[in-house]
Amino acid sequence: MRQRVVRVALTAALVAVVLLAVPLALVIRSSLYADQRDTLERAALSGAVRVSPDYSTGDPVELAAPPAGGRLGVYDPQSRLRAGSGPRTGDAAVRRALEAEVVRSHSGGDLVVTVPVSHAEHVIGAVRASSPAAAVRNRVLAAWAVLAGACALALAVAVLIARRQARRLAAPLEALSRHSQAVTAGNLGARAAPSSIAEIDQVARTHNEMLHSLTELLRHERDFTANASHQLRTPLTGLQLTLEAGLGRDDDAGKRDALAEALATTRRLHGTIEEVLRLSRSRGLTHSAAPDTRVPRLLQEIEERWHGPLARDGRRLECEIYDAPGDVRVPGTPVSEILGVLVDNARVHGRGTVRLGVRDLNDALAFDVGDEGIVQGEVARLFDRGHTGDGRGTGIGLALARDLAVSLGGRLSLSSGHPATFTLLVPVRQDGIEEDDEATAGSG
């Protein structure tokens, strides 16, 4: 690109120089020749004034000095040189001057100007002034040499400026190319730096916006995979254990109970997948459109879901509604997923009894999930994806729960480090739709 910019600038400068220099050279040549002829004419007129009417009878003519390097002479009507210097016999220019005409011409490599000498309305002679044309030609060539030098200097300056501008134009594009190569090599955090050129800056901004969109898309795809894997791991394990237990029973009633529990787990898995998909599509920025569920029913589902896993670890789960009205509804599936993440977090990282309490805050409900353990690690990074305080787990659960809470217009925070307690704030709705099971029963 740099060479192309230099070539374009040099071509433009060369065209401008040619368009300017050629007419200027012609003007210089014409002006110098015209000046020399004017000088010769002035010398001839000055000599004509000094010619006496009696010069033909022997009265001497006192001519002024001829032009530098030239000659000045007086000719009688018979074209004979009577005074001064010049050809002994007048040439065509002298003969034309004797016919009462001022003549400017070339003769024998000289510039010649002849003027008639008049007396009593009669031409009594002619004055001829001449100078070598080579002298004027040398002056023209010298002026043209100066002009050519000025043109060469102008072209050199144009090349320097063009190269400087080419570097200025090419530098941000080369930087953008290096940035693209870095992105190709896997550095998705690279961003094109701004320059002082508006058009290139626009390209860089568009490139950065495109890269940001692609990076966000890849991040959400990775988050979706991690979220789905995290949320499905425990239910799938429970489903496997339930089916294995059902296969080990001989009575039909036990198998039916196992199948019913497996079916309920499958429904929860379906809801989990739908919620993770919704969060991935909405990028955590829109409120959930999940069916509303009354708080008592929600806590009952949480207890049924997590009583077994905690009991197998020799731990208890206590659920209690302190002062929340029974008709208050919250988005069932996302809130259930968030509370499931918090209970599972307490199961894996905590100890002792896990307590889930609900408090009424007028325009919101506070769900407190705590245990008898202590929060380990950096509290400020507790909700960072991939961060685990005690080295166990994937560091995905709390980050997912926080994103789900934001998607509801709520908030998830650590309210106490000892004992470890997390608080979920959820906006409430008292005019929502009926519970899922009631809606299903009504439609049946």
Side-chain angles (χ1 to χ4, degrees):
M1 176 182 177
R2 294 189 181 188
Q3 293 181 355
R4 185 174 300 175
V5 172
V6 172
R7 284 198 299 269
V8 171
L10 183 58
T11 301
L14 185 60
V15 170
V17 165
V18 169
L19 293 178
L20 178 64
V22 171
L24 184 58
L26 296 177
V27 169
I28 290 174
R29 179 180 181 280
S30 176
S31 177
L32 290 177
Y33 273 98
D35 288 345
Q36 185 62 22
R37 289 191 177 98
D38 290 341
T39 300
L40 294 176
E41 185 173 350
R42 286 194 296 271
L45 290 174
S46 177
V49 171
R50 296 171 179 267
V51 176
S52 169
D54 299 328
Y55 79 95
S56 58
T57 61
D59 187 14
V61 178
E62 296 180 0
L63 294 175
R71 294 182 293 178
L72 183 64
V74 179
Y75 292 81
D76 61 17
Q78 288 75 37
S79 300
R80 294 175 299 186
L81 179 66
R82 300 301 298 269
S85 60
R88 297 188 61 81
T89 302
D91 52 14
V94 172
R95 291 192 293 271
R96 290 173 57 191
L98 291 174
E99 296 175 359
E101 181 183 354
V102 177
V103 180
R104 293 186 174 195
S105 66
H106 284 81
S107 178
D110 291 340
L111 294 178
V112 177
V113 176
T114 58
V115 296
V117 179
S118 301
H119 178 71
E121 298 183 359
H122 293 283
V123 176
I124 61 173
V127 177
R128 180 182 184 275
S130 65
S131 65
V136 181
R137 185 169 57 251
N138 292 338
R139 291 170 57 196
V140 170
L141 292 177
W144 282 2
V146 173
L147 179 61
C151 292
L153 179 61
L155 290 176
V157 172
V159 169
L160 293 177
I161 295 176
R163 294 182 63 180
R164 182 173 179 272
Q165 289 298 108
R167 286 195 300 269
R168 181 170 175 267
L169 290 173
L173 292 178
E174 292 170 352
L176 185 59
S177 175
R178 290 192 298 270
H179 162 260
S180 300
Q181 292 174 356
V183 172
T184 303
N187 184 12
L188 297 180
R191 292 295 182 270
S195 65
S196 58
I197 303 173
E199 292 78 5
I200 298 180
D201 284 348
Q202 179 62 38
V203 174
R205 283 193 297 269
T206 303
H207 182 82
N208 288 341
E209 291 171 1
M210 177 191 68
L211 182 59
H212 176 73
S213 299
L214 291 177
T215 303
E216 286 297 303
L217 179 61
L218 291 175
R219 184 179 69 82
H220 282 288
E221 291 297 328
R222 288 195 298 266
D223 290 351
F224 167 74
T225 303
N227 293 341
S229 174
H230 180 274
Q231 292 301 98
L232 295 180
R233 185 181 296 112
T234 300
L236 285 175
T237 302
L239 178 61
Q240 181 182 359
L241 293 176
T242 300
L243 292 176
E244 290 175 352
L247 290 175
R249 295 182 180 180
D250 295 331
D251 59 306
D252 293 338
K255 290 183 177 180
R256 283 196 299 272
D257 291 342
L259 289 176
E261 184 176 350
L263 180 60
T265 303
T266 304
R267 288 173 178 170
R268 287 196 297 270
L269 284 173
H270 181 269
T272 297
I273 293 174
E274 289 296 324
E275 188 58 28
V276 172
L277 281 173
R278 181 200 64 80
L279 181 64
S280 177
R281 295 190 194 102
S282 66
R283 300 188 180 183
L285 298 178
T286 59
H287 289 189
S288 173
D292 290 347
T293 302
R294 288 177 179 171
V295 174
R297 175 59 187 273
L298 179 64
L299 264 63
Q300 181 183 354
E301 293 177 353
I302 294 295
E303 187 170 7
E304 291 174 356
R305 180 179 176 183
W306 291 100
H307 174 76
L310 286 169
R312 284 193 292 269
D313 295 338
R315 299 172 64 184
R316 297 173 54 196
L317 172 63
E318 296 180 356
C319 299
E320 185 176 357
I321 301 177
Y322 295 108
D323 54 1
D327 61 343
V328 175
R329 293 180 174 87
V330 294
T333 303
V335 173
S336 177
E337 290 297 324
I338 297 172
L339 296 179
V341 168
L342 296 179
V343 172
D344 186 52
N345 185 72
R347 180 182 68 85
V348 174
H349 302 282
R351 59 186 177 86
T353 301
V354 178
R355 294 178 176 83
L356 170 58
V358 184
R359 295 178 287 118
D360 184 17
L361 301 179
N362 294 327
D363 57 347
L365 289 181
F367 293 83
D368 299 314
V369 179
D371 59 75
E372 299 174 5
I374 302 174
V375 174
Q376 303 288 338
E378 302 177 49
V379 176
R381 299 186 56 196
L382 199 59
F383 294 95
D384 291 350
R385 183 173 293 272
H387 174 74
T388 57
D390 55 5
R392 294 181 295 170
T394 61
I396 295 175
L398 290 178
L400 172 61
R402 178 199 56 191
D403 293 341
L404 286 170
V406 172
S407 74
L408 298 174
R411 186 180 63 186
L412 177 63
S413 61
L414 176 68
S415 55
S416 174
H418 186 201
T421 304
F422 291 88
T423 299
L424 169 65
L425 299 180
V426 181
V428 299
R429 295 193 289 267
Q430 298 193 11
D431 56 348
I433 62 175
E434 293 297 324
E435 303 177 42
D436 297 344
D437 59 335
E438 293 177 358
T440 304
S443 64

